[in-house]
Amino acid sequence: MPLDLEVAGCYRPASSGSRGLALSGDDMTAQDSKRRVALITGVTGQDGAYLAEYLLGLGYTVHGIKRRSSSFNTARVDHLYQDPHAGNVPFLMHYGDMTDSTNLIRLMQQIRPTEIYNLAAQSHVQVSFESPEYTANADAIGVLRLLEAIRILGMEKETRFYQASTSELYGLVQEVPQKETTPFYPRSPY
């Protein structure tokens, strides 16, 4: 079954033949379903910025994780940002990194998101060849760090998890259009 923004819930392995995580909201309590707090990794990217704007329009409080950088990388979300000192602002940004489990656990413990959207990735194909270990650490083990943080903090029943991925998994495509049963044929570490 394909994943979309309406399908979210507690993490469990996907059914056989599926390329994503199967998600179900059955375990959420009535109180949690009223509190809508999203955590978006990769919020400064194109998809993260659009998702933040969409969720804010639905009345969510949105927390975004951005990597520390020597250059400004928030242009896509600057229009959403308000000074957090003003109080009760719906969009907040936090420094974080998918390679730092302590940081991710601390942020999730503070935020207590009801939904997590993992859009973070080292997504530059050439860089993935030059730094394959870092790419795997951020893109693959980073997902494990988020899932482990949910488990360690006991948030399995209150937090929905969405894992985005990339068409790069299909690489040299074997069929058009791709579907869940299309075999992977990746051409890069990314």
Side-chain angles (χ1 to χ4, degrees), residues 2-190:
L3 297 176
D4 62 36
L5 295 180
E6 297 300 317
V7 178
C10 297
Y11 163 75
R12 61 184 166 80
S15 60
S16 62
S18 175
R19 297 290 189 210
L21 298 176
L23 303 170
S24 160
D26 298 338
D27 296 327
M28 292 190 69
T29 66
Q31 181 181 3
D32 288 334
S33 66
K34 292 178 185 164
R35 188 175 77 87
R36 296 162 60 168
V37 178
L39 174 63
I40 303 173
T41 66
V43 74
T44 59
Q46 174 183 301
D47 294 348
Y50 283 131
L51 178 60
E53 194 168 332
Y54 175 76
L55 293 174
L56 287 167
L58 294 177
Y60 280 68
T61 298
V62 175
H63 294 261
I65 296 179
K66 65 177 183 170
R67 282 182 297 168
R68 286 200 184 272
S69 174
S70 58
S71 59
F72 291 106
N73 60 354
T74 60
R76 291 186 180 104
V77 292
D78 282 344
H79 68 287
L80 303 174
Y81 185 80
Q82 299 171 21
D83 183 356
H85 299 99
N88 202 27
V89 295
F91 180 70
L92 301 145
M93 297 228 299
H94 309 271
Y95 287 110
D97 194 298
M98 296 301 291
T99 65
D100 185 348
S101 58
T102 304
N103 171 261
L104 294 172
I105 290 170
R106 181 185 52 78
L107 285 172
M108 288 174 56
Q109 187 173 36
Q110 288 173 353
I111 298 166
R112 302 298 293 189
T114 56
E115 298 174 19
I116 298 171
Y117 298 88
N118 184 30
L119 307 180
Q122 187 302 103
S123 58
H124 192 282
V125 173
Q126 181 61 39
V127 172
S128 78
F129 282 106
E130 295 168 1
S131 301
E133 188 174 333
Y134 174 77
T135 301
N137 189 13
D139 296 3
I141 304 301
V143 178
L144 176 64
R145 289 184 183 101
L146 288 173
L147 293 171
E148 276 295 286
I150 291 170
R151 186 187 64 77
I152 288 167
L153 296 170
M155 296 170 55
E156 302 96 331
K157 295 186 186 225
E158 68 189 66
T159 304
R160 299 170 179 178
F161 183 83
Y162 174 83
Q163 173 61 41
S165 202
T166 174
S167 63
E168 290 289 326
L169 291 168
Y170 297 104
L172 186 60
V173 296
Q174 304 298 300
E175 64 183 345
V176 176
Q178 290 82 47
K179 53 189 181 220
E180 289 184 358
T181 58
T182 301
F184 289 151
Y185 195 32
R187 308 290 283 175
S188 74
Y190 166 66

